[in-house]
Amino acid sequence: MLTTIPPHLMPETAQAPWGLVPDLGLTVAGSASMDDLLVLQDLMGEHGLTLQPTRMLYDRLYALERLSQAHARGDERLQAVAQELFDAYQRRGEWIGLVH
């Protein structure tokens, strides 16, 4: 009996020299500006909220939840940055509001 090992479970030594990026089944949310995400992280931190900027790049549900939470906080600067980021996702065709 032959068993196939999923690529993401294989050791690095078994991967190709240029690197193998396994398909983890994650939905890509688009390439938001890291500078904008770091600004959002700082503003959210001032309100006791956490943000993982890198995760905002690949996790649609997380991105939507964080932007919603930032917008709901009531701070005008935080709302403006969150709205700008949401609009940027939408312009790139990454409809983060349409999460299944």
Side-chain angles (χ1 to χ4, degrees):
M1 182 171 156
L2 183 63
T3 304
T4 304
I5 300 172
H8 67 279
L9 295 178
M10 294 181 70
E12 288 183 25
T13 55
Q15 297 179 11
W18 59 86
L20 176 66
V21 178
D23 179 7
L24 299 177
L26 300 173
T27 304
V28 177
S31 56
S33 165
M34 187 55 80
D35 291 339
D36 292 340
L37 291 173
L38 292 173
V39 168
L40 181 65
Q41 181 184 34
D42 290 342
L43 289 173
M44 289 181 74
E46 291 175 11
H47 292 276
L49 304 172
T50 60
L51 179 78
Q52 299 172 13
T54 305
R55 186 172 173 190
M56 295 284 288
L57 300 175
Y58 66 83
D59 187 338
R60 283 185 184 191
L61 182 58
Y62 179 79
L64 180 62
E65 289 173 349
R66 296 284 93 192
L67 292 175
S68 298
Q69 189 174 37
H71 195 274
R73 205 60 173 168
D75 179 276
E76 288 183 22
R77 289 183 333 159
L78 188 55
Q79 286 177 334
V81 171
Q83 186 65 54
E84 287 172 19
L85 278 165
F86 181 83
D87 292 343
Y89 280 108
Q90 303 305 87
R91 280 192 303 275
R92 290 182 181 107
E94 301 296 341
W95 311 107
I96 62 173
L98 299 177
V99 178
H100 302 281

